[in-house]
Amino acid sequence: MYIKCIHFGKATDSEIVSFNCRLKRSYAEIRVLWRRAVEKQSNSFFLGSNDHRTSSSTQTKHRTTVQRSKSSSLSSSPEAARRAHPRPSDKLNPKTINPFGEQPRAPSAFAAIYSQGGIPCRLVHGSVRHRLHWECPPEILPFDPLLITLAEGLRETKHPYTFVSKEGFRELLLVKGAPEKAIPLLPRLIPVLKAALVHSDDEVFERGLSALVQLSVVVGPSLNGHLKLLLTSLSKRLMDKKFKEPITSALQKLEQHGGSASLIIIKSKIPTYCSICC
């Protein structure tokens, strides 16, 4: 803006008044221009902040919507509802799998044999207790390899394999002529029983211990030559208080059916064992 300079010594009164008016008008225009510039800058700042807040709130709402949709889909599934609210019948009926259906992973050797009909018995569900139904009398069945297969099934952890292997092993040893059929299989049967005795699952160990006692009743002193292989596993579990009583009872049965020779073997592996004859 151009303002004409006036030499006040030579200017007239009218010129001075006119100059003052123009000067005031110039100051007013400068203030208006300055105010507009400030307002423009303020408006651009607030618009940018609002855009940032709007985008942030949009992203937050989107994340919340996704999380809600995921949680609703999980809670709506029957499996999730069953885990959140277990039914009382879940304790009475253990988780059962269909041996003939598709499995999420490769089945064990015992499960594969059972599903293919290699074990001639099936589980019958009763109102009070379960039982096995044999397709033919157990007395006429060969122990090789059926007895060994049932012993391998002692390591199973799913129903119905756990019941079939335990009950099938017990019933097969009760048939007439079981000692003559079982004794030749001891070199192959003992490593399988040991695998159950060293298993990390407590229920598998208990089934293996029960099967060992049942085998001792049938074969008697013939088991003494294999005791050292089994007693190492029992001595380790003997340190656990919850297994001290059942293991001690099992050792007494082994001594009872194995005779005095079995006592020497047990003492060599478990020195703290007290004989039933004492």
Side-chain angles (χ1 to χ4, degrees):
M1 182 180 293
Y2 175 76
I3 301 176
K4 182 179 179 181
C5 295
I6 299 177
H7 194 276
F8 287 99
K10 297 180 180 181
T12 62
D13 292 340
S14 60
E15 291 178 344
I16 293 174
V17 171
S18 176
F19 174 78
N20 289 335
C21 290
R22 288 195 300 270
L23 185 62
K24 290 179 180 180
R25 193 160 44 248
S26 299
Y27 284 156
E29 292 176 356
I30 291 173
R31 285 197 298 270
V32 170
L33 294 175
W34 173 256
R35 189 179 299 110
R36 290 177 180 175
V38 170
E39 290 177 354
K40 185 177 181 180
Q41 184 177 5
S42 300
N43 290 336
S44 63
F45 172 76
F46 286 117
L47 287 175
S49 301
N50 289 335
D51 293 340
H52 178 69
R53 285 195 296 269
T54 303
S55 62
S56 300
S57 62
T58 304
Q59 293 176 359
T60 303
K61 291 180 179 179
H62 177 69
R63 287 196 297 267
T64 305
T65 305
V66 172
Q67 291 175 356
R68 287 179 179 176
S69 63
K70 288 182 178 180
S71 61
S72 62
S73 62
L74 290 175
S75 60
S76 61
S77 62
E79 188 65 26
R82 192 180 298 110
R83 287 196 300 266
H85 304 285
R87 298 171 298 183
S89 59
D90 291 341
K91 296 182 179 180
L92 299 176
N93 299 321
K95 185 177 180 180
T96 305
I97 63 174
N98 181 11
F100 304 101
E102 294 182 359
Q103 304 298 328
R105 60 179 181 179
S108 61
F110 181 83
I113 295 174
Y114 182 77
S115 62
Q116 295 171 4
I119 301 176
C121 63
R122 285 293 178 267
L123 174 64
V124 177
H125 293 273
S127 58
V128 178
R129 60 188 297 269
H130 304 323
R131 63 182 180 86
L132 289 182
H133 172 71
W134 294 89
E135 297 176 0
C136 56
E139 293 82 5
I140 64 175
L141 293 174
F143 276 30
D144 188 9
L146 181 57
L147 187 64
I148 298 175
T149 303
L150 291 170
E152 290 175 347
L154 296 173
R155 288 176 289 169
E156 295 290 335
T157 56
K158 293 182 178 180
H159 188 76
Y161 307 137
T162 53
F163 181 83
V164 172
S165 59
K166 178 182 177 181
E167 190 65 17
F169 188 87
R170 185 188 70 85
E171 293 185 10
L172 203 60
L173 289 178
L174 293 177
V175 302
K176 185 177 180 181
E180 292 79 9
K181 296 180 180 180
I183 291 176
L185 300 178
L186 287 178
R188 297 162 54 194
L189 193 58
I190 296 303
V192 178
L193 288 179
K194 183 182 179 181
L197 293 174
V198 298
H199 202 281
S200 58
D201 191 285
D202 292 345
E203 293 183 358
V204 174
F205 170 77
E206 291 174 352
R207 288 195 293 269
L209 186 64
S210 177
L212 176 61
V213 173
Q214 295 164 9
L215 185 64
S216 173
V217 174
V218 174
V219 301
S222 300
L223 189 61
N224 292 343
H226 307 276
L227 276 182
K228 288 185 178 181
L229 187 63
L230 301 170
L231 291 176
T232 304
S233 306
L234 296 182
S235 63
K236 294 179 181 179
R237 290 274 189 165
L238 196 58
M239 300 178 183
D240 194 337
K241 291 183 179 180
K242 63 182 177 181
F243 292 122
K244 185 175 182 179
E245 183 176 348
I247 291 177
T248 301
S249 176
L251 292 175
Q252 292 175 350
K253 296 290 181 59
L254 293 176
E255 178 190 356
Q256 177 183 351
H257 300 289
S260 57
S262 63
L263 176 60
I264 300 174
I265 301 173
I266 295 174
K267 278 286 190 179
S268 66
K269 290 294 183 179
I270 307 176
T272 58
Y273 171 71
C274 296
S275 173
I276 57 177
C277 299
C278 296

